[in-house]
Structure formats: C-alpha cells, structure tokens
C-alpha cells in the first residue's frame, strides 16, 4: 500500500499459486482504497508535498523521467501511467510539448467514488485498466512513453504486465519502472505486496521466495534493459526494439 510504514519480514511465505496471489490481491483492495480515501480527505496525510504535486496543473514533467521520454519540441506526447491511483503523479507541463496522459488503475471505479466524497475533481481522470491486458484495451504501439511507479510488486502476474507495457509502447520508445527495492519482503508479503524488484548479481530481477526471473533475459527479444538502484529505490528503463 502506498506510504505505509514498512514491516520487517521475519518469515518467508511458502510457494503460492497465481490464484492465491489473486485472492490476496482482492482481499487487500479495501485497505488500498481506504488509504487513498484518508490521503485525499486530509490532503496528503503526512505527505502534503505529494498531494500538492499531484493537484498542481503547472507541475513540470519530472526531470528524471524526461531522458526516458525523448520527444521533440512542439510534439504531442501520449503517456500511459500504469497503476496511477486516484491522481497521477506525473507533471502536466513540459516546455512547448503537449502531454496527453492516460492514467489507469484496476480500482478506478472505487477511486471515482472517494474522489467525489472528498470533493476532488482530478486533473487527469483515472480510468479502469488491467496491466495484464493493456494491448487489448489500447492496441499495440499506442504510446510514446509508459510509466509504472510502485505498482509492479502489487500485480498478480508482473511479467505479463511488463510484456503488455512493451506491446503498447511505440518501437524505439521506453517503459520506465520506478519502485522501492524488495517491497514484498519489506512489507512481509502483506496485502498487495506480493513481489520484489531488485538488482541481484548485476541483474534486474523480480522475485518471490519460490521464483526469480532475470527480466532483461526474459524480454531480450523485445527490449534493451537498463537499471540503477538509487538508495532504496530502483529505476528501470526498457527501450522497445
């Protein structure tokens, strides 16, 4: 869940099926929605700066994201924010470019409800979307840039989701993943946090105790993968071939 105090895992879960992960994901949804309801009602709770940024129509498109989205001046840039929550965190201004941000989240209908209850009209309305079915919803080669922050560890099938992100981004353009390192372990596999992302043996891997996948190897036919740990955060770029 976004912004929760971390728990330190003392035990590792047994191997679980995709069906069990899906069951845990469904069970955790009310807690995720409840977190965002409090966050909206209190204008950010203990993160007022994050609230101010997400509600600022003049927020600059983040400088550290720009290199992953090399679009020309005066261009229209179509961006997909995967797992955006009720309010996308992406900046809305970038020089003389026009940013067309599409924000999706499987809980969009619940977010519409809590936005209305909190009296918020979002700058970008989050629409319902499943990361594992992006090409079906949007079509292939539909976006100039795809961004996913703090959500891949929540997904039932993160590998399918990454594959779908690569399908919908245009050739030569990038998918950017920005996540806390090993969030599943940190959160003791509680609620939505069922996977870990990290650099291990100089490779970017997504893992659980029963499974580890080298992502660059997994998607070698589709993308060139770069990655860097910045403190407790991991930044990954997947440039579509």
């Amino acid at each position: 869940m976004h912004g929760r105090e971390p728990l330190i895992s003392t035990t590792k879960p047994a191997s679980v099926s995709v069906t069990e992960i899906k069951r845990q994901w469904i069970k955790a949804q009310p807690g995720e929605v409840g977190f965002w309801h409090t966050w909206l009602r209190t204008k950010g709770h203990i993160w007022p700066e994050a609230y101010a940024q997400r509600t600022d129509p003049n927020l600059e498109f983040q400088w550290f994201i720009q290199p992953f989205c090399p679009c020309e001046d005066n261009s229209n840039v179509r961006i997909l924010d995967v797992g955006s929550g009720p309010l996308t965190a992406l900046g809305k201004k970038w020089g003389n470019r026009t940013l067309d941000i599409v924000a999706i989240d499987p809980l969009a209908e619940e977010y519409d409800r809590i936005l209305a209850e909190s009296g918020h009209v979002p700058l970008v309305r989050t629409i319902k979307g499943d990361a594992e079915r992006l090409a079906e919803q949007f079509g292939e080669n539909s976006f100039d840039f795809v961004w996913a922050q703090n959500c891949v560890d929540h997904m039932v099938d993160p590998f399918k989701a990454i594959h779908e992100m690569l399908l919908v981004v245009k050739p030569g353009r990038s998918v950017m993943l920005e996540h806390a390192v090993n969030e599943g372990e940190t959160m003791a596999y509680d609620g939505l946090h069922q996977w870990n992302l990290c650099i291990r043996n100089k490779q970017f891997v997504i893992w659980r105790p029963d499974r580890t996948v080298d992502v660059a190897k997994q998607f070698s036919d589709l993308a060139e993968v770069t990655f860097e740990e910045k403190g407790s955060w991991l930044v990954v770029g997947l440039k579509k071939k």
Side-chain angles (χ1 to χ4, degrees):
M1 188 182 303
H2 300 262
R4 287 184 54 178
E5 283 295 318
L7 304 173
I8 302 301
S9 174
T10 56
T11 60
K12 292 185 177 181
S15 176
V16 296
S17 66
V18 169
T19 301
E20 177 58 28
I21 293 175
K22 179 69 173 179
R23 186 179 297 116
Q24 293 177 14
W25 186 85
I26 292 172
K27 183 179 179 181
Q29 288 181 19
E32 183 77 357
V33 174
F35 164 80
W36 281 113
H37 196 187
T38 299
W39 189 90
L40 289 166
R41 181 171 46 82
T42 59
K43 297 185 177 181
H45 190 41
I46 61 174
W47 303 277
E49 291 184 1
Y51 175 85
Q53 291 173 349
R54 290 185 187 235
T55 56
D56 181 1
N58 296 310
L59 180 69
E60 286 291 317
F61 191 63
Q62 286 84 347
W63 64 268
F64 58 89
I65 298 177
Q66 293 176 17
F68 293 89
C69 183
C71 295
E72 296 178 355
D73 290 348
N74 298 306
S75 62
N76 185 78
V77 186
R78 193 165 189 241
I79 298 169
L80 180 64
D81 181 357
V82 178
S84 64
L87 302 175
T88 178
L90 289 171
K92 314 303 184 296
K93 302 289 185 181
W94 185 12
N96 54 16
R97 300 168 184 83
T98 300
L99 302 186
D100 177 13
I101 299 173
V102 178
I104 68 163
D105 198 293
L107 301 178
E109 293 173 347
E110 287 297 309
Y111 293 150
D112 275 345
R113 176 180 61 80
I114 63 175
L115 283 164
E117 290 176 359
S118 304
H120 286 79
V121 178
L123 298 170
V124 175
R125 176 74 62 178
T126 299
I127 63 174
K128 188 171 184 176
D130 184 346
E132 286 94 341
R133 301 175 67 179
L134 295 175
E136 178 182 330
Q137 184 170 1
F138 299 107
E140 296 187 20
N141 306 320
S142 298
F143 293 94
D144 298 293
F145 176 63
V146 177
W147 187 62
Q149 183 191 56
N150 198 30
C151 64
V152 170
D153 64 299
H154 297 178
M155 293 174 181
V156 175
D157 187 343
F159 313 105
K160 172 65 172 171
I162 292 172
H163 182 256
E164 290 287 308
M165 293 182 211
L166 286 168
L167 287 179
V168 299
V169 78
K170 296 175 182 177
R173 300 304 177 94
S174 294
V175 174
M176 179 182 176
L177 312 177
E178 186 185 9
H179 291 73
V181 173
N182 291 336
E183 188 75 346
E185 285 281 283
T186 300
M187 297 301 295
Y189 299 94
D190 176 58
L192 298 181
H193 304 281
Q194 296 300 314
W195 295 93
N196 300 286
L197 288 76
C198 73
I199 297 174
R200 181 187 295 174
N201 298 325
K202 298 183 179 180
Q203 301 297 329
F204 164 46
V205 299
I206 298 177
W207 66 280
R208 285 180 51 84
D210 58 324
R211 185 181 184 192
T212 299
V213 174
D214 179 335
V215 177
K217 184 177 181 180
Q218 177 86 356
F219 297 105
S220 60
D221 291 341
L222 282 177
E224 299 172 359
V225 182
T226 59
F227 44 85
E228 180 183 5
E229 281 190 13
K230 297 183 178 181
S232 60
W233 282 84
L234 174 66
V235 176
V236 178
L238 300 100
K239 184 176 182 180
K240 185 173 179 177
K241 293 182 179 179

